[in-house]
Amino acid sequence: MSKSIAVIGSGFSSLAAACYLAKNGHTVEVFEKNESLGGRARRFKHEGFTFDMGPSWYWMPDVFERFFADFGKKPSDYYELDKLDPGYQVVFEGGETIEIGDSLEKIYKIFDREEKNGAKKLKKFIDNARHNYDIAIKDLVYKPGLSPLELVTPKTISKLGEFFSTVDKDVEKEFKNEKLKQILKFPVLFLGAKPSETPSFYNFMNYADFGLGTWHPRGGFHEVIAAMVKLAESLGVKLNTNASIDKILVQDKTAKALEINGEVREFDTILSGADYHHTETLLDSEHRQYSEGYWKKKVFAPSSLLFYIGFDKKLENVQHHNLFFDVDFDEHAKDIYTTPKWPDEPLFYANFTSKTDPSTAPPGHENGFFLVPIAPGIEDTEELRETYFNKIMTRFESLTKQEVQKNIIFKKSFCVNDFVKDYNSYKGNAYGMANTLLQTAFLRPKLKSKKVKNLYFTGQLTVPGPGVPPALISGKLVSELIEKH
């Protein structure tokens, strides 16, 4: 039976859910508060430069393929993908670099160069990570998080110990070289938690990195959003921008309508892909499932200080993706998770899509996206932003052995206050709720409201977790739950 369904937000999970629901014959309408679609994956264009405002790492291509295949399509029907070689570069103290190539064979050679029997150790580590990836993608992440029994399969029982150890312990046990250890611990940061708090099972992210590679959609990551918008429209989804939700109206414990820019619209079902905490504030207090105390106790993924920079020359000694690990990894992690504050010496990430994709900058120019992970909820001022801009740019110039600040045409910053203003993000977090042991699967906020009938949630604060591929999966899971009920 066809239903009228309202979807709040237009990020990956919202658009994915909208596509599935429309395919199933429902009348679907999406409401986005900002002037452009994509949620955190919006695009920023200025003076011939193109920037992805949020996600920039295209990992786990099989998940994107599976999404489009559900509609009889392929990613190549919408956008061109290039596998990056190197996938990324890691810069250490003194400007020493390690490049992560586009094949395991190239990466094995790097590990052998840096550590005795490094390739042999990595093969063992990656074989386990590959096995975990198969279990995660085939058996676990496509489960709706309704019951702990979802985690119980013959394969997961054999992996039980890996849910009670940590990625940090596993890496420290196998490897001695500090640079290699940092590289192996890096991918779990996409899950929003410290390696010392992330269950060993999540080392499948290392297989996503080394085994499946790092890709780039030509034109930028927003091309994936453009593809999903095109797919949604072909399925009959109506997409609205500048549509701010003021209230979710409940009658007889059933979601009945939305107040949108002051106008009341009735729907059979309401699905929110907006920030989960914010969505519940749109309800009267008696209809909320989770208290403020609940949210305060949860471990949230970092926020970020971002800079979008246009340079009037081509830069040297940088790759498409660059990780600057020239300072203490553990100290920065403490400043995010243990005693939240602005880091004294921040690690940072920079990408220059124009290195491999000339369409993203004018000829002879470079576009730069710089990111500093920071604790959510900390103070955000223009003075602090400028202080940290100077910190990272001074180090960037030293590490890459070039002057660049005099070649900046423009820069735009984005930080905690902007995450709150533009995305209603809880404490200005950038990636949602961390995937720690006690925040995995059925222990995450639920896809279906326990208090309000016909109200559902999707996105990085619910199942399966943070990241773009999990967001696509979340949209599918909630659409199936809506069909079931």
Side-chain angles (χ1 to χ4, degrees), residues 5 7 12-28 30 62-73 142 228 231-237 271 458 469-483:
I5 301 176
V7 180
F12 285 103
S13 58
S14 293
L15 290 176
C19 288
Y20 285 112
L21 292 166
K23 180 190 174 189
N24 290 334
H26 300 294
T27 302
V28 183
V30 171
D62 51 325
V63 175
F64 294 86
E65 289 164 8
R66 187 180 300 190
F67 168 76
F68 285 108
D70 284 341
F71 302 91
K73 301 290 186 181
Y142 285 91
M228 296 179 73
L231 175 62
E233 289 178 331
S234 74
L235 294 165
V237 177
L271 165 63
T458 187
L472 293 176
I473 295 167
S474 185
K476 180 173 186 174
L477 292 175
V478 78
S479 69
E480 292 172 344
L481 207 57
I482 289 170
E483 287 297 305

Side-chain angles (χ1 to χ4, degrees), residues 10 29-30 69 89 94 96 121 187 192 200 239 246 266 383 387 403 443:
S10 67
E29 197 163 350
V30 171
Q89 169 181 263
E96 182 186 348
K121 294 176 184 178
S200 298
L239 301 162
D246 305 314
E266 293 187 355
E383 292 76 17
T387 295
E403 291 185 8
L443 296 173

